[in-house]
Amino acid sequence: MKELKEGAIVNGAAVVQSEANLYAAEVTLPDLKRSIRETENALSVLIGSAAGAINRSTLDQQTAYSNLQTGVSAQLLQNRPDVQAAEFAFRAAFENTNVAKTYFYPALTLTASGGLSSLQLKDFFSQSIFYNLVGGLTQPIFAKGQNKARLKTAQAQQQMAFYSFQQTLLTSGQEVSNALYAYQTATEKETTRAKQIAALTKAVDFTEELLRYSSATNYTDVLTSEQSLLAAQLSGVSDKLQKLQAVVNLYRALGGGWK
């Protein structure tokens, strides 16, 4: 821009605007570096090492899975810890219901000391299995109300556990669906975003050429086209990040993978 000013193609205002545009980009670098360092320190803590820089490739070199458009099996939801916990809670509640039902039956205990061969006639009704049988049969009758209450409570808890299990499955399925759809939309935007960036790159080149060799434009047009290109490039980075994050979210939503 200074050379163009010396050639009497632009004025001093264009030079000042270009300098301000440069400084506006440079002033964002310290915050970006700080954000990078904080992220690296957080990752170092997660892997159990001292805070420091982490060697990595560029974002363009990161490749996401390309075979997720068709979906994943719903059976993979069983890998999630919350789904497993809800399933086991439902199983426990189901078995507790069965236990509550057993209280309606008499408890009979047969022992060697209670056999008929070891009984005297006078002890026949006091120590024999017939005496235990009579007592066992009458016990559920007297505790009928308590048994019914116990059974109803167990059945209610079983139903609650079933609804909790069902809700956990629905929630986990929603998270998987959201991750898959986020991946799909990010993939769909890639082609259109690439065309947009290519068109804006040509627009910047054209306006710069016009500014150098003719008076058909001014630096404001160049600045506008450059800002539009920068915004599109940043959006392209966000699209790539959305795609990578969708894969991570899908991995987490499936409880640690899709195999």
Side-chain angles (χ1 to χ4, degrees):
M1 293 306 300
K2 291 179 179 179
E3 293 176 355
L4 290 176
K5 180 178 179 297
E6 293 176 357
I9 297 178
V10 299
N11 53 30
V15 177
V16 175
Q17 282 182 328
S18 64
E19 289 179 347
N21 192 33
L22 172 63
Y23 298 146
E26 290 180 345
V27 77
T28 62
L29 295 180
D31 289 336
L32 291 174
K33 292 179 180 179
R34 176 182 57 83
S35 178
I36 291 173
R37 177 52 58 89
E38 291 177 353
T39 303
E40 289 177 335
N41 291 342
L43 291 174
S44 298
V45 172
L46 289 177
I47 62 178
S49 62
I54 296 179
N55 296 326
R56 61 191 184 280
S57 60
T58 62
L59 184 63
D60 293 334
Q61 293 174 319
Q62 298 294 324
T63 57
Y65 287 90
S66 58
N67 58 344
L68 300 179
Q69 294 90 339
T70 57
V72 296
S73 174
Q75 294 180 346
L76 295 176
L77 295 178
Q78 65 183 355
N79 295 330
R80 289 173 57 110
D82 56 343
V83 172
Q84 294 179 5
E87 179 185 355
F88 290 140
F90 173 65
R91 290 184 180 182
F94 178 81
E95 296 301 333
N96 288 336
T97 301
N98 291 335
V99 171
K101 291 179 180 179
T102 61
Y103 283 93
F104 287 90
Y105 299 94
L108 301 179
T109 303
L110 300 179
T111 63
S113 60
L116 293 179
S117 59
S118 62
L119 293 178
Q120 299 294 329
L121 183 60
K122 61 183 180 62
D123 299 324
F124 184 81
F125 290 99
S126 61
Q127 298 180 13
S128 69
I129 59 173
F130 297 100
Y131 175 81
N132 294 331
L133 180 62
V134 174
L137 287 175
T138 58
Q139 180 182 1
I141 297 177
F142 294 118
K144 188 175 182 181
Q146 180 181 359
N147 293 337
K148 282 186 177 181
R150 183 185 292 111
L151 178 59
K152 289 183 178 180
T153 301
Q155 289 175 338
Q157 291 175 345
Q158 176 184 341
Q159 196 68 23
M160 291 173 60
F162 171 76
Y163 289 143
S164 177
F165 181 36
Q166 184 182 47
Q167 185 64 33
T168 302
L169 284 176
L170 293 175
T171 302
S172 59
Q174 176 188 4
E175 293 177 359
V176 172
S177 178
N178 290 342
L180 284 172
Y181 193 72
Y183 177 88
Q184 179 181 350
T185 54
T187 303
E188 291 174 354
K189 288 190 295 185
E190 282 184 334
T191 303
T192 306
R193 188 73 69 187
K195 294 179 180 179
Q196 180 190 19
I197 293 175
L200 290 174
T201 301
K202 291 181 180 179
V204 171
D205 294 338
F206 291 159
T207 53
E208 288 179 348
E209 292 297 321
L210 290 174
L211 183 64
R212 290 191 181 97
Y213 303 111
S214 70
S215 59
T217 187
N218 53 41
Y219 181 70
T220 302
D221 295 333
V222 177
L223 182 61
T224 301
S225 60
E226 287 179 344
Q227 290 176 341
S228 299
L229 175 60
L230 178 60
Q233 290 173 335
L234 292 176
S235 297
V237 173
S238 298
D239 296 340
K240 182 64 175 293
L241 181 61
Q242 175 186 339
K243 185 176 182 180
L244 295 174
Q245 286 180 332
V247 175
V248 173
N249 293 336
L250 178 61
Y251 185 88
R252 181 176 58 184
L254 291 174
W258 43 82
K259 294 182 180 180

